[in-house]
Amino acid sequence: MASLLNSVPSIKLVSNFNNPLRSSLISSSPLSLSLSRIRLVVRATETEKEAKTQVPDKASAVGGSSINQILGIKGAKQETDKWKIRVQLTKPVTWPPLIWGVVCGAAASGNFHWTPEDVAKSIVCMLMSGPFLTGYTQTINDWYDREIDAINEPYRPIPSGAISAQEVITQIWVLLLGGLGLAGFLDVWAGHDFPVVFYLALGGSLLSYIYSAPPLKLKQNGWIGNFALGASYISLPWWAGQALFGTLTPDIIVLTLLYSIAGLGIAIVNDFKSIEGDRAMGLQSLPVAFGSEAAKWICVGAIDITQISVAGYLLGAGKPYYAFALLGLIAPQVFFQFKYFLKDPVKYDVKYQASAQPFLILGLLVTALATSSH
C-alpha cells in the first residue's frame, strides 16, 4: 500500500484568490499542481474575456428549499452553516449516476457475489466515485465558474461569498486526495498487480481539471466538453466497477464510450440555464453555438440514437431479450422529452431529468447484464 501511494505524483499547493465579485473574497493566490514533468496551474485569474455585463438583480433563494440546498440544485435556500454549504458544492444530486455506474461495472464483470466482502468493496468504490471524486469535480467546476455564476446565479455559495476562497481550495484538495487514496486502497484490497482503479481515478481527476480550468477548459467547446462529461459519468465508474471485480476488456471500453454519447446529451440539458452567462464569458456551449431550438434536438437525438444503437448491438450479439428491454426503456424517455424538455428546457429541466433519467440508468444496467460473462 505504501509503495502504491508513493507512486502518486507530487502535488504542490499554493493558495491565492482574487475575486472582484465580492469584497469578502479579496485575498488571492494561485493554486498550483505539479505532476511529474507536467505543470498544471489552477489559477483564479481573470477570464480572458471578462463579462462586461452588470450582474442582474436575480432573486436569491430567499424562501428556497432546504432539500434543494443540500442536493446542490437551483431553488436552494441560502444557508450559513459551512458544512451544509460544503455539501451543496459537491452537488449530491449528481452522485447517483456515478454510483449506478459502479453497480453496472460490477454486474458486467460477472464476478460480483452478494458476500460481505464484495458488498463492502462496492460501497468503497461508490464512495470514491460519488462523494469524493464527483464532489471534487463539482467543487472545482464551481470554482472556475464563479464569474459565470455571478451572472446566472449570483446567490450560489462562491460568488455570494458564503464560503471563503481558502475553504473552497481546501475542499478541492481533501476530496481529490481522499478519492485517490480510496482508489489505491481498492487496488490493494483486490490484489491487483497493476493499480488499474487508481489510474482510472487519476485519469478521471485530470479530465475533470482540464474540463473546468484554463488554459484547456474543455467546457468552452460544447461538443468536446459535454462528451468528456458524459464519459466521466458513464464510462469511468463502469470501468472502475468492472476492473475491481473482473477484467476490463476492449469491447466494453468501446461500448461504454459509445454510451457516453448519451451522456453528452444529458450534459447539454444543464447548458440551457447558463446561456446568458456562457455567452457573456465566450463559452461555446451548444445552446449558445446553435441556438436553443437546434440544441434541444441535438440533445434528445444524442440520448435516443445512442441507446437505439446499443440495442441494435445487443440484438446483433444474440441478446434479443436485453435489446427489447432496452428499447422498452427508451420509450418513456421519449415521452418525457416531448412532455417537458422540448416544451421548455429551462423551466422543466429538473422535472425532465427526474422523470426520464431513471429509465436511462436502468438501460445501462440492462446493457451491463447483457455483456456479463455469466
Side-chain angles (χ1 to χ4, degrees):
M1 181 64 180
S3 62
L4 173 64
L5 294 181
N6 286 338
S7 69
V8 182
S10 63
I11 298 176
K12 179 184 176 185
L13 169 65
V14 185
S15 136
N16 234 348
F17 178 46
N18 183 17
N19 186 352
L21 302 174
R22 288 287 183 274
S23 59
S24 61
L25 299 178
I26 292 185
S27 74
S28 173
S29 68
L31 170 67
S32 297
L33 201 135
S34 287
L35 299 176
S36 307
R37 298 178 183 175
I38 303 172
R39 180 176 175 81
L40 299 178
V41 181
V42 185
R43 292 185 187 275
T45 56
E46 310 223 353
T47 337
E48 288 183 7
K49 224 181 212 180
E50 190 174 344
K52 304 295 181 186
T53 316
Q54 289 273 340
V55 175
D57 183 20
K58 296 193 176 182
S60 63
V62 175
S65 165
S66 296
I67 295 175
N68 288 18
Q69 185 276 326
I70 211 71
L71 291 176
I73 58 179
K74 67 182 181 181
K77 174 186 176 183
Q78 285 205 297
E79 186 58 68
T80 56
D81 185 289
K82 282 294 170 65
W83 284 105
K84 289 183 179 180
I85 292 170
R86 287 186 181 281
V87 174
Q88 181 181 359
L89 284 174
T90 68
K91 293 187 178 68
V93 74
T94 63
W95 301 351
L98 282 293
I99 292 171
W100 190 257
V102 172
V103 172
C104 292
S109 74
N111 293 320
F112 176 83
H113 305 286
W114 288 100
T115 62
E117 183 178 9
D118 279 3
V119 170
K121 282 181 185 175
S122 65
I123 290 172
V124 173
C125 194
M126 291 172 188
L127 286 171
M128 174 198 74
S129 300
F132 278 90
L133 294 182
T134 305
Y136 152 78
T137 298
Q138 295 296 343
T139 305
I140 200 170
N141 185 62
D142 268 20
W143 171 262
Y144 283 108
D145 273 1
R146 64 193 179 281
E147 285 93 357
I148 295 175
D149 286 342
I151 297 171
N152 294 318
E153 300 173 275
Y155 44 82
R156 286 195 59 77
I158 296 175
S160 70
I163 187 168
S164 73
Q166 187 58 55
E167 287 169 326
V168 175
I169 292 170
T170 300
Q171 175 161 319
I172 288 169
W173 283 108
V174 168
L175 293 173
L176 172 60
L177 296 178
L180 293 178
L182 287 177
F185 173 72
L186 285 170
D187 281 314
V188 173
W189 195 355
H192 291 159
D193 294 326
F194 179 80
V196 59
V197 178
F198 173 79
Y199 280 109
L200 285 172
L202 182 61
S205 301
L206 289 172
L207 182 62
S208 298
Y209 175 85
I210 64 174
Y211 172 80
S212 298
L216 295 178
K217 202 173 180 74
L218 298 182
K219 67 185 295 180
Q220 291 181 116
N221 182 294
W223 294 109
I224 297 173
N226 284 333
F227 182 76
L229 197 60
S232 297
Y233 272 72
I234 292 177
S235 298
L236 283 172
W238 180 316
W239 296 351
Q242 184 155 351
L244 181 61
F245 293 101
T247 303
L248 188 57
T249 56
D251 59 323
I252 289 295
I253 291 173
V254 172
L255 181 63
T256 51
L257 286 175
L258 172 63
Y259 229 124
S260 295
I261 298 173
L264 178 151
I266 295 168
I268 297 172
V269 174
N270 295 316
D271 289 337
F272 286 90
K273 68 177 184 293
S274 303
I275 291 176
E276 181 184 345
D278 288 348
R279 186 178 289 119
M281 303 303 293
L283 300 184
Q284 287 298 302
S285 66
L286 295 186
V288 170
F290 293 96
S292 293
E293 196 61 32
K296 286 192 300 187
W297 290 100
I298 293 172
C299 175
V300 299
I303 294 171
D304 298 342
I305 293 171
T306 297
Q307 293 177 91
I308 291 169
S309 300
V310 172
Y313 165 81
L314 295 178
L315 191 61
K319 310 271 187 172
Y321 296 114
Y322 290 104
F324 291 129
L326 181 54
L327 288 173
L329 290 167
I330 296 170
Q333 295 177 61
V334 174
F335 171 77
F336 288 118
Q337 285 163 3
F338 280 94
K339 182 176 181 180
Y340 293 126
F341 183 73
L342 292 171
K343 282 185 179 178
D344 191 332
V346 177
K347 182 178 179 181
Y348 295 119
D349 64 332
V350 174
K351 280 188 177 180
Y352 165 66
Q353 294 188 76
S355 303
Q357 284 195 22
F359 296 100
L360 185 141
I361 63 174
L362 282 173
L364 275 172
L365 182 59
V366 166
T367 305
L369 293 171
T371 58
S372 169
S373 57
H374 288 181

